[in-house]
Amino acid sequence: MESDAVSRTKQSNIFRLKCSVHNYDWGIKGYDSRVARLFALNSGSIIDPDKPYAEFWMGTHDSGPSFLIAATENGGSVDSDSTSLKSWVSENPNVLGDKVVEKWGADIPFLFKVLSVAKPLSIQAHPDKELAKELHMLQPKVYRDANHKPEMALAITEFEALCGFISLEELKDVLHTVPEIVEMIGDADTNRVLLLNDEDDEDDLKSALRLAFTQLMSASKSLISKAISELKRRLNSESEVRPLTAKEALVLQLEKQYPDDVGVIAAFFLNYVKLTPGEALHLGANEPHAYISGECIECMATSDNVIRAGLTPKFRDVQTLCAMLTYKQGFPEILQGVSMNPYITKYVPPFDEFEVDRCVLPGGASVVFPASPGPSIFLVAGGEGTMLHEESHRSDVISEGDVLFVPDEAEINITSEVELLIFRTGVNHKFFDTFMNGK
């Protein structure tokens, strides 16, 4: 039987969440990790200075569920670990809004995260819905759900990533200047790329890139080890007579972290992206990427499907990854966000499931988050203040580490005591615009 405290929380439909953490090896260790600090404040746990803290999850995915924290009569709170956000939303789908339920059922369609990245994540891609269903059916222990996973990363600190394939012109330059790659993929695949130009048929461009990249990623361990050894020796020698390029310096860094890994050389095929705080990039299904370093907000469709092929000790599925990629070329779009008012910037990717607001609120200032037709999750990433829901006359003191679920059609007024940094994720407003237009 549920407590009265949980019942009262349900009536207001705005409540705090106790969220999950993942301690993957690539995470930043101890107190230096924003994930560690947020999780400790959110859960009341103690930070282990020797443990990596990689991802802070907010949402309903089974691999990292959030739980309700119920309000008490004296203004405090009590954990309700028996009541997950997923089960509560499933039993109370009215909090999602009719349009969300009609599209995605009785669940929140987005997964909200904070990442603290000390060393590169794997070279990976996420499947589209059709492939996700197939992989989940064939290997449910590896691919744990049947959903696609478009995502967006919004930099909190300086943030580096490999993302998407470089242009044809850049790839030709790589083949002319990195002999170790030519040795790995062979003269035939090399010449196939070098003979192309931008006016050629797009399918021919993609086919040549696919053959070359697949040959590289499928190389034998002995060939990979030999090529990386030669590459390392050559770059260290050349660094004495010329400055290395940013990509070359990155490759040497990757080699130290993942020796004899094909991902070290595969990095030459991918765009090296550097985001400053407040910039974002988005990734659709079947696009290769690897986060390198820094801290970010990440949002995605509710899925944990990852197909890996390099820079990882985990399970690799090279054949699936090379077959699934779109092989689009060119530098990814960098989102600067759209200013909604002096304090809130909105980031809108081309995916229905989510958008992200970034709010920097100076001490003593107030701002209104307008009501949305779908649910939202708010993360207080810094500072303190109050959150007021006008309709229910509920006021909450909020501070760093707090995570709150807000139902559809709830207008939220926030006032800061000390400068607040808040991130809000909700369903993409363009989805509702399209829905209303009957398209």
Side-chain angles (χ1 to χ4, degrees), residues 48-61:
D48 182 340
D50 298 319
K51 180 181 286 188
Y53 291 82
E55 297 190 359
F56 183 57
W57 286 32
M58 299 159 280
T60 59
H61 197 281

Side-chain angles (χ1 to χ4, degrees), residues 6-17:
V6 173
S7 297
R8 281 192 295 274
T9 304
K10 286 188 177 184
Q11 290 168 13
S12 70
N13 289 338
I14 295 177
F15 47 83
R16 298 172 187 266
L17 301 177

Side-chain angles (χ1 to χ4, degrees), residues 143 217 224 258-263 307-319:
Y143 304 109
M217 299 303 290
I224 294 168
Y258 296 97
D260 292 335
D261 191 303
V262 69
I307 300 169
R308 302 176 180 88
L311 303 180
T312 181
K314 296 182 179 179
F315 172 74
R316 303 180 186 213
D317 194 344
V318 173
Q319 183 178 356

Side-chain angles (χ1 to χ4, degrees), residues 265-281:
I265 292 186
F268 279 110
F269 279 68
L270 305 177
N271 297 293
Y272 186 17
V273 181
K274 297 182 179 181
L275 301 179
T276 59
E279 292 184 326
L281 62 84

